[in-house]
Amino acid sequence: MNERTSQFIYSKKHAIVFLAVVIISTIITLTPAIMMHYVGLDTAFFIIFITEILISTFVYFFYLKNIPGCRIKVSSSPASVKFSVISFFIIIFIQLTVYCYRDYLYHYKPSQINWITVLVMTLVVPYYEEIIYRGCAFEVARSIYRKNLVIPCVITSLFFCLMHGQYYNILDQMILFVVSMLLFAVKIKSRSLFYPMLIHSGMNGFVILLNIQSIL
């Protein structure tokens, strides 16, 4: 077992907890379509985001922070920082290329967005998704397949794409998959969730800047 593979220490208890968290999070993610009929869309999403923050924070402090490779910490390795920076610019280049391609075809009009949405997309979503997907879901996959890290990364990335059903075409799903794999590479290289969260936040902020006209 090599050094990177040894980041994961199998625990049946942890695997069960992480699987339960993933299932609960999946159900919560799919509830807006039902909940909005009773409380309205904005209220439904507000409740969901609060619930996601509570769940991800709970599971991190009680479980993930004790697992090597799943802590939110700043790596002191220059190689990890360099790799994270390069990965970030690759992701930004991909997003910019796709945006220019689509703008050329469809001539998108800039949209308006409020500050709450900006904060949610740049802070809440990266925090929650990195803990749930590159933390919990990945550890469940690793508990099933422990020979190497590639297959768990692929499985979790496919699940990550599936849970982003708003991106319905092949191009969007391919971009999501590539981004997810790059974030996994950063996580493994840095042995931390900090840099994937930071890159995810920067990516979301960049995409927002590309598509908005003004912030209300």
Side-chain angles (χ1 to χ4, degrees), residues 54-146:
L54 293 176
I55 290 175
S56 54
T57 300
F58 175 85
V59 74
Y60 175 75
F61 282 102
F62 281 90
Y63 288 97
L64 281 180
K65 75 172 186 177
N66 299 316
I67 297 178
C70 289
R71 301 184 181 101
I72 302 174
K73 66 175 184 177
V74 179
S75 174
S76 59
S77 168
S80 296
V81 175
K82 182 179 179 181
F83 184 78
S84 299
V85 171
I86 293 173
S87 298
F88 173 71
F89 281 110
I90 291 174
I91 290 173
I92 291 300
F93 176 76
I94 292 172
Q95 296 290 351
L96 180 60
T97 302
V98 172
Y99 173 81
C100 292
Y101 169 73
R102 286 177 173 162
D103 186 54
Y104 174 77
L105 289 179
Y106 307 112
H107 305 290
Y108 287 145
K109 293 182 179 179
S111 58
Q112 293 183 332
I113 194 170
N114 58 50
W115 279 107
I116 295 177
T117 303
V118 173
L119 292 176
V120 168
M121 294 303 298
T122 58
L123 297 178
V124 177
V125 171
Y127 173 76
Y128 165 75
E129 289 192 347
E130 294 308 312
I131 288 177
I132 297 301
Y133 295 107
R134 264 156 290 281
C136 296
F138 174 73
E139 296 300 325
V140 172
R142 282 289 294 125
S143 69
I144 298 171
Y145 192 89
R146 284 176 270 171

Side-chain angles (χ1 to χ4, degrees), residues 160-178:
F160 180 72
C161 293
L162 178 65
M163 292 307 299
H164 287 73
Q166 68 270 34
Y167 303 111
Y168 55 87
N169 60 60
I170 296 298
L171 178 59
D172 287 332
Q173 291 294 323
M174 288 176 62
I175 293 168
L176 276 175
F177 182 82
V178 171

Side-chain angles (χ1 to χ4, degrees), residues 28-41:
I28 291 173
T29 302
L30 298 175
T31 56
I34 300 173
M35 194 183 299
M36 61 182 285
H37 294 295
Y38 301 97
V39 297
L41 184 60

Side-chain angles (χ1 to χ4, degrees), residues 147-205:
K147 293 183 179 180
N148 61 56
L149 298 175
V150 176
I151 292 179
C153 288
V154 170
I155 292 173
T156 311
S157 294
L158 290 173
F159 177 63
F160 180 72
C161 293
L162 178 65
M163 292 307 299
H164 287 73
Q166 68 270 34
Y167 303 111
Y168 55 87
N169 60 60
I170 296 298
L171 178 59
D172 287 332
Q173 291 294 323
M174 288 176 62
I175 293 168
L176 276 175
F177 182 82
V178 171
V179 168
S180 179
M181 292 297 288
L182 282 171
L183 291 175
F184 269 121
V186 171
K187 172 188 182 294
I188 294 167
K189 182 73 175 179
S190 64
R191 294 172 171 248
S192 168
L193 288 174
F194 175 77
Y195 291 112
M197 285 182 182
L198 193 63
I199 293 172
H200 197 152
S201 177
M203 177 189 70
N204 285 1

